[in-house]
Amino acid sequence: MAFEISLAGKTAVITGSNSGIGLGIAWELAKAGADVVLNSFTDADEDHALAREISETTGTAARYIQADMSNGDQCRQLIETAGRCDILVNNAGIQHVAAIPEFPVEKWDAIIAINLSSAFHTTAAALPMMRSAGWGRVVNIASAHGLTASPYKSAYIAAKHGIVGLTKTTALETAKEPITANAICPGYVLTPIVEKQIPDTMKEYDMSREEVIENVMLTRQPSKEFATVEQMGGTATFLCSDAAAQITGTTISVDGGWTAL
Ligand code: NAD
């Protein structure tokens, strides 16, 4: 069997995709022929412009649908409004860094809701659609922090370990069907969520931006390079290919060797 990827006729819904990894994945899936649904909680002209740019460049249909992934009903509504969901990429995520005794309760609740519970709600709404279409792919964006821990990121690490568990359960519940569920575990990718952590870390360690990148962020990434959003998109596209039809319930690390340490 030749290794070819054509996602023509498939609709992909990517949560949290008006920037960073989600947007990178949307681009790569659209380049492979999928119609894509972009999402975030905002409803700005720029959000809709991103969808137009993808449509015009790739010739596939792209739409932007506003839905707040911290709200379970809106997660389910996103999938219903999309009308079809062959490929579900659960990507929306936020971060907060603080020691456990000082960790703000509202930040804990928001991280668990957006980074973990949203994937439960969207998966619950999408699986019936995948079953009636007779094909489906769930791609959850976990993290190297879904497999290992670091201090001060309790909520994020709990949510990311949780999404790895949800991925395994989704895979077992769909194992006899032409549906797979996997998690991508990125190491550090230079996106807005990471960019926002740099000033605080500079202050905390009294370091320059370059020192933070080299000595704090990439200290556990043996390649000493950030992974890219295009690489996340390529990995997601591979998981949607026929070659990956028997890959289910597992994690794929794209982390420059982080989890090999
Ligand atoms: P990002 O900040 O660029 O993207 C986060 C996306 O989530 C944005 O599109 C944002 O609008 C959206 N979002 C946030 N709150 C939302 C809400 N309530 N409802 C809907 N959308 C919401 O960051 P990113 O680095 O692209 O992160 C994407 C995913 O990748 C996250 O789950 C993150 O945990 C994961 N990840 C990132 C890295 C990294 O180094 N950048 C590493 C591992 C995992």
Side-chain angles (χ1 to χ4, degrees):
M1 180 179 70
F3 183 70
E4 264 177 35
I5 303 180
S6 171
L7 300 177
K10 310 291 189 203
T11 295
V13 180
I14 306 107
T15 71
S17 46
N18 66 350
S19 85
I21 292 173
L23 184 57
I25 290 175
W27 268 106
E28 296 307 313
L29 292 175
K31 285 184 203 162
D35 296 329
V36 297
V37 173
L38 302 182
N39 153 263
S40 185
F41 57 91
T42 51
D43 194 19
D45 290 346
E46 301 87 73
D47 297 326
H48 296 275
L50 286 172
R52 271 197 307 279
E53 191 191 346
I54 291 178
S55 285
E56 285 163 14
T57 309
T58 64
T60 59
R63 285 175 288 159
Y64 177 85
I65 301 176
Q66 176 193 23
D68 184 346
M69 293 299 103
S70 68
N71 176 304
D73 291 341
Q74 291 193 33
C75 295
R76 289 168 190 257
Q77 195 57 50
L78 167 65
I79 305 300
E80 297 308 325
T81 307
R84 187 181 173 118
C85 182
D86 306 290
I87 299 164
L88 171 63
V89 182
N90 286 305
N91 169 79
I94 57 168
Q95 174 65 285
H96 187 79
V97 180
I100 292 171
E102 286 85 45
F103 208 94
V105 173
E106 64 279 8
K107 291 283 184 200
W108 171 276
D109 289 343
I111 290 173
I112 298 299
I114 296 167
N115 297 22
L116 176 58
S117 302
S118 69
F120 159 71
H121 292 293
T122 53
T123 302
L127 284 181
M129 290 183 183
M130 293 178 183
R131 286 182 169 132
S132 50
W135 189 92
R137 295 285 188 269
V138 180
V139 179
N140 291 327
I141 307 306
S143 169
H145 279 134
L147 304 168
T148 65
S150 298
Y152 314 121
K153 296 184 175 175
S154 55
Y156 186 87
I157 284 159
K160 293 299 184 182
H161 277 69
I163 206 162
V164 169
L166 176 66
T167 304
K168 292 177 185 174
T169 301
T170 308
L172 292 181
E173 291 188 15
T174 56
K176 292 207 165 127
E177 302 169 81
I179 296 173
T180 68
N182 294 288
I184 298 175
C185 294
Y188 268 111
V189 186
L190 194 54
T191 62
I193 205 175
V194 169
E195 197 58 64
K196 275 183 228 145
Q197 294 173 50
I198 296 178
D200 284 349
T201 318
M202 284 168 66
K203 249 189 268 159
E204 191 183 337
Y205 294 105
D206 191 24
M207 283 179 175
S208 68
R209 180 184 163 86
E210 291 66 35
E211 286 169 331
V212 165
I213 289 175
E214 176 120 7
N215 302 334
V216 181
M217 291 186 155
L218 297 182
T219 186
R220 290 169 76 179
Q221 199 145 311
S223 66
K224 297 296 168 203
E225 281 180 34
F226 284 110
T228 67
V229 300
E230 290 79 10
Q231 290 160 357
M232 300 309 147
T235 306
T237 305
F238 164 70
L239 286 172
C240 294
S241 72
D242 290 343
Q246 283 299 315
I247 299 177
T248 196
T250 195
T251 57
I252 297 195
S253 292
V254 187
D255 65 2
W258 176 330
T259 43
L261 275 176

